[in-house]
Amino acid sequence: MSSFPQIRMRRLRRTEALRALVRETQVETGDLIYPLFVVEGSQIKQEITSMPGIYRYSSDLLPGEVDDIAKLGIPAVILFGIPEKKDEVGSSAYDPEGVIQQAIRTIKKATPELLVVTDVCLCEYTSHGHCGVVVDGYVDNDKTLELLAKTALSHAEAGADVVAPSDMMDGRVKAIRQALDKNGFQDTPILAYAAKYASAFYGPFREAAESAPQFGDRRSYQMDPPNWREALREVEQDIAEGADMVMVKPALPYLDVIRKVRDTFNYPLAAYSVSGEYAMVKAAAQQGWLDEKRIVLETLTAIKRAGADIIITYYARDAARWLSSI
Ligand code: PBG
């Protein structure tokens, strides 16, 4: 085995051309999904306090936004709805005229080539803010499945390209797959939030989506952060139930989980760089404490290096601009 001085690791780092030649991981705009928050009403563009630069839009403003997103080369958006009316069973989640169903139709009309992924969950639509039906203070798994399936089906009927259940009920991928297949949507893929942790990093999102639980927390259905073996079982289950793509969420604090899933399963893998990850970087950048562009590109590269094929990020629009000017 030869070593120094025959081997000099620095030889291939000397110029940018050499570094580019041996670069192992490349983030591309085509890997990114941009989240959009949609509210009812018109002419609303409302900044989210804990996520500067991220807004809630009413549907009438979406055509301009999605046109810009598509022009940047971002292939997909993921939609979150904030309904006017919430109730115990999240009725507006599966209302054919609901905020998301209308948004899907608006976007598909404006930019048919842009993929529309929908978040399938009840927490933004329930008065108690939990992701399912509450019975005696506990989120009832099996009663929730039918409502999730109805929600996913209503998204597909409105024109969604991909449905993404994020509720963490057991059996929801199977319930959604059956509902889609029975109604002629056998070609609509499911991106399962398979390993979704009960994370404090969702804080800013809950402000954005007005979806904080009104009592208790989500730890009886989302995963316990210390567990990675369990993440592999979650992914295995979702694949067995018919998931086409799987997700790990959050991203940056869970790179080890992303790597494990990548090494264990041959399915397209998404990572969700969540609201708290965005807020941390944005806050430090606004203070002048970090170089925002470099931090974001380094972070996205790390998520990809860990094994993610797809990254959902609030920085997608900035990243697309930065990547095209490198
Ligand atoms: C809905 C949902 C949440 C996020 C995505 N889908 C919130 C939660 O589970 O509490 C979080 C996204 C983010 O923080 O950016 N269940």
Side-chain angles (χ1 to χ4, degrees), residues 80 119 121 123-124 131 166 193 196 201-202 205-206 218 222 249 272 274-275 314:
F80 298 96
D119 184 85
C121 194
C123 66
E124 295 118 81
C131 302
S166 70
Y193 283 70
K196 175 175 177 180
F201 282 90
Y202 309 150
F205 174 94
R206 291 181 189 169
R218 302 210 202 291
Q222 297 181 346
K249 175 187 173 191
Y272 196 145
V274 300
S275 56
Y314 300 95

Side-chain angles (χ1 to χ4, degrees), residues 281 284-285 288-297 322:
V281 174
W289 293 343
L290 292 176
D291 179 334
E292 187 176 30
K293 172 179 168 180
R294 290 190 53 208
I295 289 282
V296 169
L297 294 179
W322 293 329

Side-chain angles (χ1 to χ4, degrees), residues 46-294:
Q46 202 172 49
E47 193 168 38
I48 296 150
T49 319
S50 50
M51 302 177 76
I54 303 296
Y55 300 84
R56 297 195 274 210
Y57 300 99
S58 51
S59 259
D60 57 318
L61 298 185
L62 289 175
E65 295 304 319
V66 292
D67 184 56
D68 179 59
I69 293 163
K71 283 198 176 112
L72 286 166
I74 296 167
V77 290
I78 182 164
L79 303 184
F80 298 96
I82 301 112
E84 228 139 56
K85 283 195 212 78
K86 304 190 187 221
D87 62 25
E88 288 280 302
V89 290
S91 307
S92 5
Y94 35 90
D95 177 353
E97 297 307 317
V99 58
I100 282 301
Q101 289 78 0
Q102 290 185 26
I104 298 166
R105 289 193 288 263
T106 303
I107 296 173
K108 289 315 292 185
K109 206 166 142 203
T111 47
E113 72 283 9
L114 186 71
L115 290 170
V116 172
V117 184
T118 57
D119 184 85
V120 176
C121 194
L122 299 181
C123 66
E124 295 118 81
Y125 304 90
T126 51
S127 43
H128 44 72
H130 278 289
C131 302
V133 179
V134 174
V135 179
D136 296 332
Y138 187 71
V139 176
D140 189 296
N141 192 87
D142 299 11
K143 283 200 171 70
T144 303
L145 296 181
E146 189 199 334
L147 303 184
L148 292 168
K150 261 166 85 169
T151 304
L153 180 59
S154 77
H155 293 174
E157 282 167 347
D161 297 293
V162 178
V163 293
S166 70
D167 51 281
M168 290 302 277
M169 299 301 122
D170 289 316
R172 91 274 209 214
V173 173
K174 186 176 181 185
I176 291 171
R177 187 71 272 158
Q178 282 174 347
L180 291 174
D181 289 0
K182 232 181 15 211
N183 291 278
F185 293 98
Q186 64 282 344
D187 290 328
T188 302
I190 298 176
L191 164 59
Y193 283 70
K196 175 175 177 180
Y197 288 88
S199 170
F201 282 90
Y202 309 150
F205 174 94
R206 291 181 189 169
E207 180 210 324
E210 293 171 3
S211 66
Q214 299 302 302
F215 66 90
D217 53 44
R218 302 210 202 291
R219 283 184 284 189
S220 79
Y221 42 103
Q222 297 181 346
M223 283 185 62
D224 199 18
N227 298 357
W228 64 265
R229 290 188 295 265
E230 188 186 342
L232 297 183
R233 294 186 61 211
E234 280 284 5
V235 172
E236 189 178 19
Q237 286 301 312
D238 282 359
I239 288 172
E241 289 179 26
D244 301 281
M245 301 177 272
V246 292
M247 193 195 301
V248 172
K249 175 187 173 191
L252 198 55
Y254 295 84
L255 293 183
D256 57 325
V257 179
I258 295 173
R259 169 50 55 194
K260 290 280 185 194
V261 172
R262 164 45 65 240
D263 288 345
T264 313
F265 301 96
N266 292 317
Y267 276 69
L269 173 59
Y272 196 145
S273 184
V274 300
S275 56
E277 298 175 51
Y278 176 87
M280 286 195 306
V281 174
K282 185 57 91 178
Q286 286 187 334
Q287 294 285 326
W289 293 343
L290 292 176
D291 179 334
E292 187 176 30
K293 172 179 168 180
R294 290 190 53 208

